[in-house]
Amino acid sequence: MTPSADKRALSFGGDFALDPMAVDFPQGVLRATGGRGIDVAFDFAGVAAARAQAASVLGPFGALVLAGLTPQPITVENSIDFCFNLHQVLGHYGSEAHHVEQLVGLASAGRIDLGPSITAHVPLAEAADAVTRLEQKIGDPIRLILTP
């Protein structure tokens, strides 16, 4: 994580911000969770290495939720550990109409504030530039909203 991503995670309510690239990441997770491991890990990237890392730090009864889409196969490296700890892998597409309705309902009721995750509003005519900004992380964007 970058320092700005760490700061964002903590400002959004995170208790800890760990660098997933750090060699001691698994030990950091154990320290942060009192030796238990993670209850639920979300993969929003669809990257095999991120999935494997998340699965490796799941605690007992832990679940890995796959929201990042990829055609790559899911691999369970150690099925003995996976089964012994009663781990789960769950898929979530998240783009169906009722999901959007749930999100709008939560935002309307003040239960979730998406405002801090919006980096900028960008005119639709500049959509290609917005994609470049996201891909190259120009200006450390989280979300760019296209406007007509």
Side-chain angles (χ1 to χ4, degrees):
M1 291 180 85
T2 65
S4 62
D6 289 353
K7 185 177 177 182
R8 272 196 308 263
L10 296 171
S11 73
F12 287 147
D15 295 319
F16 302 94
L18 303 174
D19 180 355
M21 302 305 289
V23 294
D24 67 340
F25 176 78
Q27 294 80 12
V29 169
L30 291 175
R31 282 191 304 273
T33 60
R36 177 175 164 69
I38 292 175
D39 292 329
V40 180
F42 292 86
D43 168 21
F44 292 107
V47 175
R51 288 179 175 178
Q53 182 184 53
S56 76
V57 294
L58 289 175
F61 305 99
L64 173 60
V65 179
L66 307 178
L69 303 178
T70 178
Q72 299 302 314
I74 298 166
T75 303
V76 175
E77 294 294 328
N78 181 343
S79 64
I80 296 171
D81 181 59
F82 188 88
C83 293
F84 180 78
N85 285 296
L86 303 170
H87 289 164
Q88 299 178 58
V89 176
L90 305 168
H92 190 298
Y93 187 62
S95 294
E96 296 175 13
H98 69 277
H99 295 132
V100 174
E101 290 170 10
Q102 287 173 337
L103 186 58
V104 169
L106 289 169
S108 296
R111 301 272 320 274
I112 185 171
D113 181 10
L114 300 174
S117 71
I118 299 170
T119 305
H121 291 81
V122 179
L124 185 57
E126 298 174 20
D129 292 333
V131 170
T132 300
R133 285 175 61 185
L134 290 169
E135 286 177 338
Q136 297 179 8
K137 302 191 184 312
I138 298 168
D140 197 23
I142 302 173
R143 268 185 198 83
L144 302 177
I145 305 297
L146 296 176
T147 58

